[in-house]
């Protein structure tokens, strides 16, 4: 009989369908129905049944029932444990309960009635067979029994799992932000900003009782070590760099700025006035050979006795007096000074005299070819003056306050007519025989700027001008007031041109100094036709901002050789042949600076170089020293 009961029980368990989580099941030992929330996963419950033999004679019908108290006890313990876990892990606000639809209520009622009838059938069968059952249900869900006891969870019965999770996150985020108390912090910060006061001024240092502040040096207190107050230093006059007032028109008295001995100065003027006869140039001998010329150059030396400090500013122009008995050097400086130096005077400081006939740089300086006792100087300030040592005055030759002069040269042997170049590209013809200080003709050229003007030594009607990138040769007889056209233009230069000069004896050569670091020599033997380029000598002409620009000059005794300063180390002055070969380099221990402006004596082997600090360096034969 026991075997037949066990077989019936197994068949009954096979016929029962497997229950899913989202279905409703009525507990056999509990009088009410519990609704379970819908989950996303499907879990299957497995029932374990333990069978034991029994006899009907030993037990009554009432005792065959499974004790209800035991089941209730176990279920109550599990529900209590899970309830405490839910309270610890999830703190949330339960939304208001939602009403379920009528369709869902009908489905729930039908499933509950079906479960109830099935449970009655099982109980009737168990009355026939006496057995001791203990059911242990294992579930993987976390909240299987929470809904039965925990109040308020039925509110989520009509929501999907995603909506329940979203509501849960919203409630948790609200609790988190409420715990941060951001609104209170923002209100306190706003009050602090509104109540903040502007920054206070620096704290004033408290005054000492004895009236002495912090410790200061005696130099700042302007007292000597003994405590005696030093005399107040006079404030230097403020100098305005832009203001360069012109000197008054008319002749200026020749007064020395560095010499105060009147007797010595009168002797100096008498010496210069006595050399009023021009030197006789013997050009019939022709040029000497390069070998003999180089030998004479090798005998020229420099010493400390031939280095003179003449002016306070950079030297812009230089000229050597043609005297064959005395060595006289004249220089024009940046600040309008004209310095005269007699190298035969001892001590050498007594042979230097400085005058101030101009207010701006003296860019051109020549001794008169008709009377060497006259020295003509031209300045940026728009004045051209003649220093007459016999009368001890600087006579005004030409004045134009509306323009700035750059260079000039003589158009005649008697030095009566001059050609003057302007920085704005104009040119002036000046006749010294005409009363007054005005020009005879003012002409405009096609050049934007004129730096140097030089007249042909043989054909005095021709002169050459050097400008920005143009070198033009003009005929003085064809100058017009407007739009004067040059006879020939030299277009081989690529940058600005510092100077352009004819060769001193025949004028058959032209040398130009360009900022592209090249010295160019042209063949000017036929001025009426195109002038070809003969030689290009590579030479560093980049002097920078603080040095005077190089100007290559011809040697008056050897017109096929050019003299120019150098940026090379050790410092030197170089001489090149018209073919481009270096003939000689002047140097020595006493030459420690760059000589930008150089001049050679017309008949003697004497070379003078001026630098940008107002010093002249003279190279001469040892016999002449």
């Amino acid at each position: 009989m026991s075997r037949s009961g066990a077989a019936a029980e197994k068949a009954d368990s096979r016929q029962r369908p497997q229950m899913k989580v989202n279905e409703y099941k009525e507990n056999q030992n509990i009088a009410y129905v519990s609704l379970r929330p819908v989950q996303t996963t499907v879990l299957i419950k497995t029932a374990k049944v333990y069978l034991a033999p029994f006899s009907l004679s030993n037990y009554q019908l009432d005792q065959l029932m499974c004790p209800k108290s035991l089941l209730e006890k176990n279920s109550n313990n599990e529900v209590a444990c899970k309830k405490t876990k839910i309270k610890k892990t999830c703190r949330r606000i339960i939304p208001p309960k939602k009403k379920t639809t009528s369709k869902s209520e009908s489905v729930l009622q039908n499933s509950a009635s079906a479960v109830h009838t099935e449970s009655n059938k099982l109980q009737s069968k168990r009355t026939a067979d006496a057995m001791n059952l203990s059911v242990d249900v294992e579930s993987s869900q976390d909240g299987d029994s929470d809904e039965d006891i925990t109040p308020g969870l039925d509110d989520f019965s009509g929501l999907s799992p995603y909506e329940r999770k979203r509501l849960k996150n919203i409630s948790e985020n609200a609790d988190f932000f409420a715990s941060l108390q951001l609104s209170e912090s923002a209100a306190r910060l706003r009050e602090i900003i509104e109540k903040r006061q502007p920054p206070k001024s620096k704290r004033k240092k408290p005054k000492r009782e004895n009236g002495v502040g912090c410790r200061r040096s005696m130099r700042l207190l302007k007292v000597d070590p003994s405590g005696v107050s030093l005399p107040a230093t006079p404030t230097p006059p403020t100098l305005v760099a832009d203001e360069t007032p012109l000197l008054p028109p008319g002749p200026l008295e020749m007064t020395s700025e560095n010499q105060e001995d009147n007797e010595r100065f009168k002797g100096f003027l008498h010496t210069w006035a006595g050399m009023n006869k021009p030197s006789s140039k013997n050009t019939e001998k022709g040029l000497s050979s390069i070998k003999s010329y180089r030998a004479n150059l090798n005998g020229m030396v420099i010493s400390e006795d031939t280095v003179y400090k003449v002016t306070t500013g950079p030297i812009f122009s230089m000229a050597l007096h043609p005297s064959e008995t005395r060595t006289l050097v004249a220089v024009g400086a940046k600040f309008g000074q004209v310095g005269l130096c007699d190298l035969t005077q001892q001590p050498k400081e007594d042979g230097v005299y400085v005058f101030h006939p101009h207010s701006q740089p003296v860019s051109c300086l020549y001794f008169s070819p008709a009377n060497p006792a006259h020295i003509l100087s031209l300045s940026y300030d728009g004045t051209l003056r003649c220093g007459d040592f016999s009368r001890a005055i600087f006579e005004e030759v030409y004045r134009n306050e509306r323009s700035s002069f750059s260079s000039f040269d003589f158009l005649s042997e008697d030095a009566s007519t001059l050609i003057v170049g302007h920085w704005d590209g104009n040119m002036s013809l000046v006749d010294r025989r005409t009363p007054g200080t005005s020009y005879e003709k003012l002409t405009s050229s096609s050049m934007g700027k004129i730096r140097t003007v030089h007249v042909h030594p043989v054909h005095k009607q021709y002169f050459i001008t050097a400008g920005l990138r143009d070198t033009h040769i003009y005929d003085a007889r064809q100058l017009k007031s407007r739009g004067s056209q040059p006879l020939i233009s030299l277009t081989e230069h690529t940058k600005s041109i510092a100077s352009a000069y004819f060769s001193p004896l025949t004028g058959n050569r032209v040398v130009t100094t360009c900022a592209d670091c090249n010295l160019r020599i042209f063949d000017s033997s036929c001025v009426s036709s195109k002038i070809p380029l003969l030689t290009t000598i590579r030479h560093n002409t980049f002097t920078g901002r603080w040095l005077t620009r190089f100007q290559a000059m011809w040697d008056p005794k050897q017109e096929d050789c050019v003299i120019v300063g150098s940026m090379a180390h050790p410092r030197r002055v170089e001489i090149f042949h018209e073919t481009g070969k270096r003939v000689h380099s002047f140097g020595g221990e006493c030459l420690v600076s760059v000589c930008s402006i150089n001049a050679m004596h017309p008949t003697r082997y004497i070379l003078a170089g001026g630098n940008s600090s107002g010093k002249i360096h003279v190279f001469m034969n040892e016999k002449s020293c």
Side-chain angles (χ1 to χ4, degrees):
M1 183 174 179
S2 62
R3 293 181 179 177
S4 61
E9 183 71 14
K10 291 181 179 179
D12 187 24
S13 63
R14 292 175 182 175
Q15 292 178 359
R16 276 184 288 173
Q18 294 179 352
M19 299 181 66
K20 297 182 180 180
V21 176
N22 57 355
E23 293 181 354
Y24 299 94
K25 177 180 177 182
E26 182 180 3
N27 195 344
Q28 297 177 3
N29 299 324
I30 302 174
Y32 58 89
V33 179
S34 174
L35 300 180
R36 299 182 180 181
V38 180
Q39 302 291 336
T40 57
T41 58
V42 178
L43 302 177
I44 301 174
K45 292 185 178 181
T46 304
K48 294 182 181 181
V49 181
Y50 298 90
L51 303 179
F54 63 94
S55 177
L56 294 174
S57 59
N58 297 331
Y59 295 94
Q60 297 179 2
L61 184 59
D62 297 334
Q63 295 178 354
L64 294 176
M65 300 290 292
C66 184
K68 184 177 181 180
S69 62
L70 180 61
L71 293 175
E72 291 178 354
K73 182 179 180 180
N74 293 335
S75 63
N76 292 334
N77 292 336
E78 293 178 359
V79 170
C81 293
K82 293 182 179 181
K83 183 177 180 181
T84 56
K85 292 181 180 179
I86 291 173
K87 289 182 179 181
K88 291 180 180 180
T89 57
C90 179
R91 294 179 181 179
R92 62 192 175 186
I93 301 171
I94 304 299
K97 184 176 181 181
K98 297 182 180 180
K99 294 182 180 180
T100 58
T101 60
S102 61
K103 186 177 179 180
S104 61
E105 290 178 355
S106 62
V107 173
L108 293 175
Q109 291 177 0
N110 293 334
S111 61
S113 62
V115 173
H116 183 68
T117 55
E118 185 179 359
S119 63
N120 292 334
K121 292 180 181 180
L122 291 175
Q123 288 182 0
S124 63
K125 288 182 181 181
R126 286 174 182 169
T127 56
D129 299 330
M131 58 185 336
N132 187 12
L133 300 176
S134 63
V135 179
D136 184 10
V137 179
E138 297 178 359
S139 177
S140 62
Q141 299 179 0
D142 295 337
D144 288 345
S145 60
D146 296 346
E147 294 83 355
D148 298 338
I149 299 175
T150 306
L153 292 179
D154 291 340
D155 298 337
F156 298 126
S157 59
L159 301 177
S160 64
Y162 171 77
E163 291 176 348
R164 287 195 299 274
K165 187 175 181 179
R166 187 175 70 85
L167 293 175
K168 178 182 176 181
N169 292 339
I170 291 173
S171 62
E172 290 180 354
N173 292 338
D175 294 341
F176 173 73
F177 282 108
S179 63
L180 295 178
Q181 298 179 356
L182 296 178
S183 60
E184 292 81 355
S185 301
R188 289 195 301 269
L189 183 60
R190 192 177 297 108
E191 292 178 358
I192 293 173
I193 293 175
E194 292 176 355
K195 294 180 180 180
R196 187 176 61 179
Q197 298 179 356
K200 297 181 180 180
S201 59
K202 295 183 179 180
R203 182 175 61 89
K204 296 181 179 180
K205 296 181 180 181
K207 295 183 179 180
R208 302 289 182 87
E209 295 180 358
N210 53 4
V212 180
C214 60
R215 183 179 178 182
R216 300 175 65 186
S217 64
M218 292 185 177
R219 179 181 61 83
L220 296 177
L221 295 175
K222 296 182 179 181
V223 296
D224 58 4
S226 61
V228 180
S229 299
L230 296 175
T233 57
T235 57
T238 57
L239 300 177
V240 181
D242 295 338
E243 291 186 5
T244 52
L246 296 177
L247 297 178
L252 297 177
E253 185 180 358
M254 188 177 290
T255 57
S256 177
E257 293 184 349
N258 61 333
Q259 299 289 346
E260 297 180 356
D261 191 348
N262 293 329
E263 296 296 331
R264 187 185 303 156
F265 179 62
K266 291 180 180 180
F268 173 78
L269 294 178
H270 180 73
T271 302
W272 281 79
M275 296 182 294
N276 54 3
K277 295 181 180 180
S279 61
S280 59
K281 298 180 181 179
N282 188 4
T283 59
E284 296 179 357
K285 295 188 302 181
L287 300 178
S288 60
S289 63
I290 296 296
K291 184 176 181 180
S292 61
Y293 179 67
R294 183 181 290 110
N296 291 324
L297 297 178
N298 291 332
M300 299 171 61
V301 296
I302 187 174
S303 62
E304 294 182 358
D305 296 335
T306 58
V307 177
Y308 288 80
K309 173 68 174 178
V310 182
T311 61
T312 57
I315 294 176
F316 276 43
S317 56
M318 179 177 293
L320 264 71
H321 195 277
S323 174
E324 296 184 1
T325 57
R326 303 180 71 90
T327 304
L328 303 174
V329 182
V331 296
K334 179 179 180 179
F335 302 111
Q337 299 169 328
V338 173
L340 301 177
C341 182
D342 186 0
L343 273 69
T344 58
Q345 183 72 32
Q346 293 297 331
K348 64 180 184 179
E349 289 80 7
D350 296 340
V352 177
Y353 292 85
V354 180
F355 308 96
H356 209 145
H358 302 281
S359 59
Q360 293 185 19
V362 180
S363 57
C364 193
L365 198 66
Y366 286 112
F367 285 100
S368 174
N371 186 0
H374 293 173
I375 182 171
L376 284 85
S377 60
L378 178 140
S379 175
Y380 289 4
D381 60 4
T383 58
L384 174 62
R385 295 181 180 274
C386 176
D388 188 353
F389 297 102
S390 59
R391 296 188 297 167
I393 60 172
F394 284 98
E395 184 181 2
E396 192 171 66
V397 177
Y398 176 38
R399 185 182 185 92
N400 189 346
E401 297 181 358
R402 295 178 296 177
S403 181
S404 180
F405 300 157
S406 59
S407 180
F408 82 98
D409 200 1
F410 302 101
L411 287 174
S412 59
E413 291 290 344
D414 58 357
S416 59
T417 56
L418 311 173
I419 180 70
V420 179
H422 300 235
W423 278 111
D424 57 2
N426 294 331
M427 296 175 289
S428 300
L429 287 176
V430 180
D431 192 346
R432 299 176 62 186
R433 297 166 295 186
T434 303
T437 60
S438 181
Y439 55 83
E440 296 296 326
K441 181 184 291 187
L442 178 64
T443 179
S444 62
S445 66
S446 59
M447 304 178 66
K449 183 181 292 187
I450 295 178
R451 284 194 170 92
T452 60
V453 175
H454 193 244
V455 178
H456 196 281
V458 178
H459 307 288
K460 293 291 185 179
Q461 69 272 17
Y462 300 125
F463 63 92
I464 187 171
T465 61
L468 291 177
R469 293 189 180 182
D470 305 324
T471 302
H472 295 168
I473 297 178
Y474 291 90
D475 189 347
R477 299 169 299 182
Q478 299 179 3
L479 293 179
K480 300 178 182 180
S481 59
R482 293 185 179 180
S484 297
Q485 296 299 324
L487 296 178
I488 302 173
S489 298
L490 307 180
T491 60
E492 288 80 4
H493 305 87
T494 59
K495 291 187 179 181
S496 63
I497 306 168
S499 62
Y501 295 103
F502 285 109
S503 56
L505 298 180
T506 61
N508 293 334
R509 298 290 184 268
V510 172
V511 59
T512 62
T513 307
C514 186
D516 59 0
C517 296
N518 285 314
L519 306 179
R520 293 176 174 86
I521 298 177
F522 298 86
D523 184 7
S524 60
S525 57
C526 185
V527 178
S528 60
S529 63
K530 185 177 181 181
I531 297 180
L533 176 64
L534 295 180
T535 309
T536 300
I537 303 173
R538 189 67 179 173
H539 188 72
N540 184 9
T541 59
F542 185 73
T543 56
R545 177 181 179 183
W546 306 109
L547 300 181
T548 308
R549 297 186 66 176
F550 289 160
Q551 293 185 4
M553 304 286 294
W554 295 101
D555 187 350
K557 301 180 299 297
Q558 193 81 14
E559 70 166 4
D560 57 353
C561 292
V562 177
I563 305 168
V564 65
S566 175
M567 296 293 294
H569 290 275
R571 300 305 185 189
R572 66 194 70 172
V573 177
E574 296 180 325
I575 295 182
F576 293 94
H577 192 259
E578 64 179 10
T579 58
K581 296 181 180 180
R582 182 184 289 106
V583 178
H584 187 72
S585 293
F586 295 97
E589 296 180 356
C590 297
L591 182 62
V592 294
S593 59
V594 177
C595 291
S596 301
I597 305 299
N598 301 277
M600 184 72 82
H601 196 278
T603 56
R604 303 164 58 190
Y605 283 92
I606 299 175
L607 171 67
N611 63 9
S612 296
S613 61
K615 288 185 178 181
I616 61 172
H617 303 76
V618 181
F619 295 84
M620 60 176 59
N621 291 326
E622 295 181 357
K623 297 180 180 179
S624 301
C625 294

